Short mmCIF file of all heavy atoms in Angstrom, two decimals:
data_model
loop_
_atom_site.label_atom_id
_atom_site.label_comp_id
_atom_site.label_asym_id
_atom_site.label_seq_id
_atom_site.Cartn_x
_atom_site.Cartn_y
_atom_site.Cartn_z
N SER A 92 14.00 -6.35 -12.89
CA SER A 92 12.46 -6.24 -12.94
C SER A 92 11.99 -7.04 -11.77
O SER A 92 12.67 -7.76 -11.10
CB SER A 92 12.00 -6.91 -14.30
OG SER A 92 12.31 -8.27 -14.29
N GLY A 93 10.58 -6.90 -11.69
CA GLY A 93 10.00 -7.82 -10.58
C GLY A 93 10.16 -9.25 -10.79
O GLY A 93 10.48 -10.05 -9.97
N MET A 94 10.04 -9.69 -12.12
CA MET A 94 10.29 -11.02 -12.33
C MET A 94 11.68 -11.51 -12.18
O MET A 94 11.82 -12.73 -11.92
CB MET A 94 9.81 -11.39 -13.87
CG MET A 94 8.20 -11.39 -13.94
SD MET A 94 7.38 -12.16 -12.57
CE MET A 94 8.10 -13.83 -12.49
N ALA A 95 12.59 -10.76 -12.53
CA ALA A 95 14.03 -11.05 -12.26
C ALA A 95 14.23 -11.36 -10.69
O ALA A 95 14.90 -12.36 -10.34
CB ALA A 95 14.97 -10.04 -12.65
N VAL A 97 11.64 -12.32 -8.40
CA VAL A 97 10.80 -13.38 -8.14
C VAL A 97 11.61 -14.65 -8.50
O VAL A 97 11.75 -15.58 -7.75
CB VAL A 97 9.53 -13.43 -8.75
CG1 VAL A 97 8.74 -14.74 -8.61
CG2 VAL A 97 8.61 -12.34 -8.13
N PHE A 118 0.50 -13.84 -9.63
CA PHE A 118 0.74 -12.91 -10.87
C PHE A 118 1.14 -14.01 -12.05
O PHE A 118 1.85 -14.88 -11.77
CB PHE A 118 1.82 -12.08 -10.60
CG PHE A 118 2.22 -11.09 -11.67
CD1 PHE A 118 1.60 -9.94 -11.98
CD2 PHE A 118 3.42 -11.29 -12.35
CE1 PHE A 118 1.82 -9.08 -12.97
CE2 PHE A 118 3.73 -10.49 -13.39
CZ PHE A 118 3.04 -9.37 -13.73
N CYS A 121 4.70 -15.20 -12.38
CA CYS A 121 5.23 -15.87 -11.15
C CYS A 121 4.59 -17.27 -11.16
O CYS A 121 5.40 -18.29 -10.83
CB CYS A 121 4.62 -15.20 -9.95
SG CYS A 121 5.29 -13.56 -9.72
N GLU A 161 1.40 -14.72 -2.62
CA GLU A 161 1.17 -13.28 -2.97
C GLU A 161 -0.03 -12.99 -2.13
O GLU A 161 -1.07 -13.71 -2.14
CB GLU A 161 0.89 -13.19 -4.41
CG GLU A 161 0.65 -11.87 -5.08
CD GLU A 161 0.19 -12.16 -6.55
OE1 GLU A 161 1.07 -12.93 -7.24
OE2 GLU A 161 -0.73 -11.63 -7.05
N ASN A 165 -3.77 -11.23 -6.95
CA ASN A 165 -3.97 -10.53 -8.35
C ASN A 165 -4.95 -11.55 -9.20
O ASN A 165 -4.53 -12.56 -9.46
CB ASN A 165 -2.73 -10.28 -9.15
CG ASN A 165 -2.99 -9.67 -10.51
OD1 ASN A 165 -3.86 -8.91 -10.65
ND2 ASN A 165 -2.05 -9.97 -11.46
N ASP A 190 5.58 -12.29 -2.25
CA ASP A 190 5.39 -11.27 -3.21
C ASP A 190 4.46 -10.31 -2.70
O ASP A 190 3.29 -10.46 -2.56
CB ASP A 190 4.87 -11.79 -4.57
CG ASP A 190 4.83 -10.78 -5.67
OD1 ASP A 190 4.70 -9.64 -5.27
OD2 ASP A 190 4.85 -11.29 -6.85
N VAL A 192 3.73 -7.16 -3.47
CA VAL A 192 3.49 -5.90 -4.51
C VAL A 192 2.17 -5.26 -4.15
O VAL A 192 2.08 -4.06 -3.92
CB VAL A 192 3.55 -6.30 -5.88
CG1 VAL A 192 2.93 -5.32 -6.80
CG2 VAL A 192 5.03 -6.63 -6.43
N PHE A 193 1.17 -6.14 -4.11
CA PHE A 193 -0.19 -5.47 -3.90
C PHE A 193 -0.40 -4.87 -2.55
O PHE A 193 -1.12 -3.88 -2.50
CB PHE A 193 -1.32 -6.65 -4.09
CG PHE A 193 -1.65 -6.80 -5.57
CD1 PHE A 193 -0.61 -6.92 -6.46
CD2 PHE A 193 -2.99 -6.78 -5.98
CE1 PHE A 193 -0.98 -7.10 -7.83
CE2 PHE A 193 -3.16 -6.93 -7.30
CZ PHE A 193 -2.29 -7.10 -8.28
N SER A 212 7.98 -6.13 -7.27
CA SER A 212 8.22 -5.41 -8.49
C SER A 212 8.27 -4.04 -8.13
O SER A 212 7.21 -3.45 -7.77
CB SER A 212 7.03 -5.80 -9.34
OG SER A 212 7.03 -4.93 -10.38
N ALA A 213 9.33 -3.30 -8.14
CA ALA A 213 9.50 -1.95 -7.89
C ALA A 213 8.86 -1.00 -9.11
O ALA A 213 8.72 0.15 -8.83
CB ALA A 213 10.88 -1.60 -7.72
N THR A 214 8.48 -1.89 -10.13
CA THR A 214 7.90 -1.18 -11.16
C THR A 214 6.54 -0.53 -10.93
O THR A 214 6.01 0.32 -11.58
CB THR A 214 7.56 -2.39 -12.26
OG1 THR A 214 8.78 -3.13 -12.45
CG2 THR A 214 6.89 -1.77 -13.54
N LYS A 215 5.95 -1.14 -9.78
CA LYS A 215 4.65 -0.79 -9.43
C LYS A 215 4.70 0.51 -8.52
O LYS A 215 5.16 1.54 -8.92
CB LYS A 215 3.92 -2.01 -8.85
CG LYS A 215 4.04 -3.24 -9.67
CD LYS A 215 3.37 -3.13 -10.97
CE LYS A 215 3.75 -4.21 -12.01
NZ LYS A 215 3.64 -5.71 -11.51
N LEU A 224 11.31 -0.39 -15.11
CA LEU A 224 11.16 -1.63 -14.34
C LEU A 224 12.08 -1.75 -13.27
O LEU A 224 13.24 -1.22 -13.45
CB LEU A 224 11.42 -2.80 -15.39
CG LEU A 224 10.41 -2.83 -16.69
CD1 LEU A 224 10.88 -4.13 -17.56
CD2 LEU A 224 8.93 -2.91 -16.34
N GLY A 225 11.87 -2.49 -12.29
CA GLY A 225 12.59 -2.82 -11.29
C GLY A 225 12.16 -3.90 -10.34
O GLY A 225 10.91 -3.98 -10.38
N GLY A 226 12.93 -4.54 -9.57
CA GLY A 226 12.55 -5.44 -8.64
C GLY A 226 13.55 -5.46 -7.46
O GLY A 226 14.68 -4.93 -7.54
N ASN A 343 -1.00 -2.32 -16.16
CA ASN A 343 -0.08 -1.95 -15.08
C ASN A 343 -0.93 -1.63 -13.82
O ASN A 343 -2.06 -1.54 -13.84
CB ASN A 343 0.82 -0.72 -15.60
CG ASN A 343 2.08 -0.77 -14.85
OD1 ASN A 343 2.41 -1.63 -14.07
ND2 ASN A 343 2.98 0.18 -15.27
N LEU A 344 -0.15 -1.33 -12.75
CA LEU A 344 -0.87 -0.99 -11.55
C LEU A 344 0.26 -0.17 -10.70
O LEU A 344 1.47 -0.22 -11.01
CB LEU A 344 -1.39 -2.18 -10.82
CG LEU A 344 -0.29 -3.19 -10.39
CD1 LEU A 344 0.07 -3.08 -8.92
CD2 LEU A 344 -0.76 -4.64 -10.62
C1 PLP B 3 4.11 -6.84 -11.74
C2 PLP B 3 4.21 -7.86 -10.88
C3 PLP B 3 5.14 -8.88 -10.96
C4 PLP B 3 6.41 -8.65 -12.04
O1 PLP B 3 7.02 -7.47 -12.04
P1 PLP B 3 7.78 -6.86 -13.31
O2 PLP B 3 8.39 -5.67 -12.74
O3 PLP B 3 6.65 -6.56 -14.23
O4 PLP B 3 8.63 -7.78 -13.70
C5 PLP B 3 5.32 -9.88 -10.03
N1 PLP B 3 4.36 -9.99 -8.97
C6 PLP B 3 3.25 -9.07 -8.97
C7 PLP B 3 2.33 -9.30 -7.84
C8 PLP B 3 3.19 -8.09 -9.81
O5 PLP B 3 2.21 -7.23 -9.79
#
Side-chain angles (χ1 to χ4, degrees):
S92 69
M94 282 322 303
V97 169
F118 182 78
C121 295
E161 181 184 315
N165 178 30
D190 180 336
V192 165
F193 274 50
S212 163
T214 312
K215 311 297 165 56
L224 300 181
N343 204 1
L344 62 100

